[in-house]
Amino acid sequence: MNEKTMLEESTLDAAANEEVICCPENVVYEKPDTLTDTPMHYCPGCGHGVAHKLIAEVIDELGIQSQTVGVAPVGCAVFAYNYLNIDMQEAAHGRASAVATGIKRVLPEKFVFSYQGDGDLAAIGTAETIHTCNRGENILIVFINNGIYGMTGGQMAPTTLPGMKSTTSPYGRDVETMGNPLKITDIVATLPGVYYATRCAVNTPNNVRKAKKAITKSFEYQKLNKGLCFVEIVSNCPSNWKMTPSQANKWLEENMLPYYPLGELKVPNDKEK
Amino acid sequence: MKELKLMKGNEALAEAVIRSGCDAYFGYPITPQSEVLEYLSAEANKRTGMIVLQAESEVASINMVYGAAGTGKLAMTSSSSPGISLMQEGISYIACAELPCLIVNVMRGGPGLGTIQPSQGDYFQAVKGGGHGDYKMIVLAPSTVQEMVDYVRLSFELAFKWKNPVMLLADGALGQMMEKVEFFEQQPRKTKVEPWATVGKPKDRERNIITSLHIQPDKMEEINLHLQKKYKAIEEEEIRFEAINCEDADIILTAFGLVARICQKAAQLAKEKGIKVGVFRPQTLFPFPYEALSKLSSSPKLKGILDVEMNAGQMVEDVRLAVNGKTRVEFHGRMGGVVPSPEEVLAKIEEKFVGELV
């Protein structure tokens, strides 16, 4: 058999195989209905895409697409509403949890979540964040922490690590003059209004699975009117960290996670469950 | 039989809010309008199920209003001058996202922390923007406690008609004074779901998105042109004003809100001296009644206009635009919480138009 014939045969085989393999019985994963077909604008390796997908999957799995209203942030994920096939409102910088409060108070039976980055939630929106948590609004706050301002081009965030370089801390964050990174999830976990607070990541398949579980739990708690659920997702910013996606995930593991250790910071006690 | 009550302006307004079928109030205490939040906290939820929430700041309140308004509900806030300054960011977003809501500003003296006494120093902020970008609110200026009541329902109607924020602009005196008022019947809470509202997307419709972000310049300009077209239509349909004895007047006093009532008293005092004084009072500050005032200013008998305000001269700029040089426009203003007296206004008429009056 010459080479050409071999190639033709293998192509034929592949086509035949495809017919056999790609049948409804064998489907193990489909794009969630809650995720639109719009191509995402995020940089290669960015965690936003994965975080969006997790939210969409959970909404699909819980069957709450028609009962969910989301609040989109400012920053890189400002277009979250282009990708999530649910009703959404876009909020001013830092104000997402106040907007979510307004929605939830008049639609208490609906599922409401805000999606916010570190600059949004932990800098300009600190007051709104703390007070929304303290009131125990029955909403989910998804907090994406990549330690830097992404959209505006890599400036220092409240969560930027000590010594970490950014365009506004070009010699590295000096905690003496620039203050310490703010562990906002640790802070909100102390508030009685917060029912569930956890810190996740989406840098490895295992962490992705855990993050999904946390989001699922949060929506389930919301249904029970338990109070605020706060899911931090430690994420990356390959572009502004000036790394490849794989370098960024490695850096995240080695630098971000020691400062922002993963795990549940506040869990409902068994009786309450 | 008419149901008449003697009530404080802020409380009467709050009562009207409940009777309008309002769904949600988000606010923060500030003198001289804290009674609105206090009255609603005591009365609203138990009577109609209305949501009343004291936010952590004015910034949070206006953004809660944004969220609730986005669901198509009747949402509102109230505050006083420094608090309204904090809300400007949210108001700009609400205007761009075209959400209906009511914002009550019971003005106090400024700038800065200023004083808790009445003022009209926020005319520019209310009428000319205040927040960033090219947007307009519909601005209603009551001059009696009765109008504080009547304009609440009107505000919600206009807000939904135009999908636009409406500001009810009163001053501290109107908020604090007691007058007799007649209330309208309790309106039912709105049940209609607006087609644009974010209430959860049913299978058979596209997702609703409420945003003020349009990153492409051509798209953003399109939104701006659409808004300007809407404001033009509002200018054509929603002008409201009152002209008392202006047709054959020697002098016309222009004023809004409480000051217009002081001017009416001044006009009476002038009459006793044989001077015919009319009072022209815009009830809508945007849209401003340019045309009506322009017509009046062409009267050959008219010696001039005296604009009286509790500020350094803000509405007078619109008065001058309307008059466009057809007659003399003078200004008299008091600031910092000082309320002008009718005698003072009469003295100003005589001083400014000395020798021209009978």
Side-chain angles (χ1 to χ4, degrees):
Chain A
M1 213 186 282
N2 62 31
E3 259 184 45
K4 199 183 167 195
T5 331
M6 276 175 72
L7 191 70
E8 276 169 3
E9 288 220 338
S10 73
T11 318
L12 277 174
D13 279 355
N17 273 342
E18 200 175 326
E19 236 165 70
V20 178
I21 296 165
C22 298
C23 56
E25 304 91 84
N26 288 343
V27 170
V28 290
Y29 182 79
E30 274 183 302
K31 182 184 77 62
D33 191 45
T34 300
L35 214 54
T36 66
D37 291 328
T38 316
M40 289 191 188
H41 69 281
Y42 302 115
C43 302
C46 166
H48 276 310
V50 182
H52 282 14
K53 195 192 72 160
L54 293 184
I55 292 170
E57 283 179 2
V58 171
I59 290 173
D60 267 26
E61 284 165 20
L62 296 176
I64 57 171
Q65 190 185 7
S66 64
Q67 302 158 58
T68 305
V69 182
V71 181
V74 295
C76 285
V78 75
F79 289 120
Y81 52 75
N82 282 344
Y83 312 126
L84 294 171
N85 190 19
I86 50 171
D87 281 357
M88 287 193 81
Q89 295 194 25
E90 213 291 307
H93 199 191
R95 320 298 176 216
S97 66
V99 172
T101 299
I103 300 169
K104 184 70 180 184
R105 286 292 177 122
V106 294
L107 301 174
E109 72 287 2
K110 301 291 164 85
F111 293 87
V112 177
F113 73 93
S114 72
Y115 185 97
Q116 302 177 256
D118 39 52
D120 186 331
L121 181 141
I124 193 167
T126 319
E128 285 82 356
T129 304
I130 299 286
H131 287 278
T132 305
C133 290
N134 196 42
R135 284 191 303 268
E137 299 291 340
N138 287 303
I139 61 165
L140 161 64
I141 294 179
V142 179
F143 168 43
I144 308 291
N145 175 10
N146 60 15
I148 206 156
Y149 285 4
M151 179 177 257
T152 43
Q155 294 83 7
M156 184 177 69
T159 49
T160 298
L161 296 177
M164 185 174 162
K165 285 183 181 174
S166 74
T167 59
T168 51
S169 58
Y171 308 108
R173 180 177 190 153
D174 173 8
V175 297
E176 290 293 317
T177 57
M178 300 166 184
N180 290 284
L182 193 58
K183 292 182 181 178
I184 198 95
T185 310
D186 295 61
I187 297 172
V188 301
T190 66
L191 302 171
V194 173
Y195 189 67
Y196 175 59
T198 185
R199 188 181 286 122
C200 312
V202 288
N203 63 322
T204 65
N206 191 23
N207 282 342
V208 168
R209 275 193 290 273
K210 284 183 186 162
K212 183 172 171 181
K213 208 171 166 191
I215 295 167
T216 305
K217 269 193 205 174
S218 301
F219 278 122
E220 283 168 347
Y221 292 145
Q222 185 169 158
K223 187 168 190 164
L224 301 171
N225 278 329
K226 289 292 186 182
L228 194 132
C229 294
F230 196 95
V231 176
E232 173 175 348
I233 296 177
V234 180
S235 188
N236 57 16
C237 183
S239 297
N240 286 303
W241 290 1
K242 305 192 193 312
M243 294 173 194
T244 65
S246 56
Q247 281 170 341
N249 278 353
K250 190 161 177 279
W251 193 89
L252 180 150
E253 190 90 45
E254 290 168 359
N255 297 276
M256 291 283 280
L257 297 189
Y259 201 91
Y260 299 110
L262 302 184
E264 291 176 323
L265 288 119
K266 185 171 197 178
V267 287
N269 65 43
D270 284 342
K271 276 180 205 157
E272 276 182 88
K273 274 181 201 169
Chain B
M1 205 179 95
K2 276 185 186 179
E3 188 194 357
L4 288 173
K5 284 188 175 184
L6 181 67
M7 273 181 103
K8 199 177 197 180
N10 285 332
E11 291 175 348
L13 178 132
E15 175 62 29
V17 164
I18 298 170
R19 290 184 185 228
S20 298
C22 180
D23 292 295
Y25 171 95
F26 305 97
Y28 189 76
I30 179 172
T31 309
Q33 64 77 56
S34 297
E35 295 88 350
V36 178
L37 174 56
E38 288 167 352
Y39 189 94
L40 290 175
S41 300
E43 293 284 323
N45 191 268
K46 69 172 185 190
R47 274 169 52 188
T48 65
M50 178 185 161
I51 302 294
V52 180
L53 179 59
Q54 178 171 335
E56 65 272 25
S57 69
E58 288 86 349
V59 177
S61 335
I62 193 70
N63 283 283
M64 289 171 183
V65 169
Y66 177 106
T71 70
K73 305 277 184 182
L74 271 67
M76 70 168 295
T77 185
S78 68
S79 190
S80 181
S81 310
I84 297 288
S85 293
L86 284 171
M87 291 184 186
Q88 292 303 324
E89 172 197 70
I91 294 173
S92 171
Y93 277 70
I94 289 169
C96 188
E98 291 194 275
L99 297 178
C101 72
L102 168 60
I103 301 150
V104 177
N105 181 1
V106 183
M107 291 177 283
R108 59 191 248 180
L113 195 51
T115 167
I116 57 169
Q117 303 303 323
S119 144
Q120 296 181 323
D122 305 348
Y123 179 93
F124 281 155
Q125 190 192 50
V127 173
K128 310 289 179 187
H132 58 284
D134 288 301
Y135 74 88
K136 297 272 188 193
M137 284 187 288
I138 296 170
V139 183
L140 296 166
S143 74
T144 60
V145 174
Q146 184 66 55
E147 278 183 341
M148 295 277 271
V149 167
D150 296 340
Y151 286 0
V152 167
R153 197 163 60 160
L154 175 64
S155 296
F156 281 124
E157 281 169 19
L158 293 175
F160 275 83
K161 178 178 176 188
W162 297 102
K163 284 180 76 189
N164 208 69
V166 175
M167 179 171 275
L168 203 155
L169 188 69
D171 64 69
L174 274 172
Q176 294 298 322
M177 67 201 269
M178 288 184 91
E179 281 190 297
K180 118 188 132 181
V181 278
E182 188 191 348
F183 284 101
F184 49 86
E185 290 292 302
Q186 174 71 48
Q187 306 293 302
R189 295 267 299 277
K190 180 165 160 271
T191 50
K192 186 196 164 200
V193 178
E194 299 288 344
W196 46 262
T198 54
V199 292
K201 183 195 94 71
K203 280 266 176 244
D204 57 353
R205 78 150 159 80
E206 281 292 295
R207 63 193 190 280
N208 281 339
I209 295 164
I210 287 166
T211 182
S212 60
L213 173 73
H214 307 283
I215 210 152
Q216 301 292 342
D218 51 349
K219 176 69 183 164
M220 191 69 241
E221 186 173 51
E222 199 183 294
I223 298 289
N224 268 287
L225 290 171
H226 161 74
L227 290 175
Q228 294 305 319
K229 203 173 150 190
K230 178 170 88 173
Y231 303 146
K232 190 85 195 149
I234 293 172
E235 282 173 359
E236 275 157 23
E237 287 185 43
E238 303 299 351
I239 286 170
R240 288 167 172 81
F241 66 91
E242 191 181 31
I244 306 161
N245 303 326
C246 287
E247 293 297 339
D248 63 341
D250 300 319
I251 303 292
I252 291 176
L253 295 170
T254 51
F256 71 98
L258 183 79
V259 182
R261 290 170 71 180
I262 295 164
C263 286
Q264 269 172 259
K265 181 71 186 168
Q268 274 176 26
L269 297 178
K271 199 178 173 186
E272 289 161 19
K273 291 197 163 192
I275 311 166
K276 281 188 174 169
V277 174
V279 177
F280 184 84
R281 172 173 81 98
Q283 291 160 306
T284 49
L285 301 180
F286 176 80
F288 190 84
Y290 289 109
E291 216 176 290
L293 188 56
S294 171
K295 251 185 213 163
L296 289 172
S297 63
S298 338
S299 156
K301 198 168 172 290
L302 190 70
K303 308 280 187 300
I305 288 174
L306 176 65
D307 178 82
V308 188
E309 297 178 67
M310 288 196 285
N311 58 42
Q314 298 191 16
M315 187 180 81
V316 68
E317 294 195 0
D318 285 316
V319 170
R320 289 200 177 105
L321 277 175
V323 169
N324 200 14
K326 279 184 279 192
T327 189
R328 184 144 62 93
V329 177
E330 296 286 349
F331 173 72
H332 176 62
R334 299 299 300 267
M335 285 169 282
V338 180
V339 182
S341 69
E343 293 75 16
E344 175 184 329
V345 175
L346 177 63
K348 280 291 156 189
I349 292 172
E350 292 176 314
E351 178 196 316
K352 301 277 186 188
F353 299 94
V354 64
E356 296 173 50
L357 299 166
V358 185

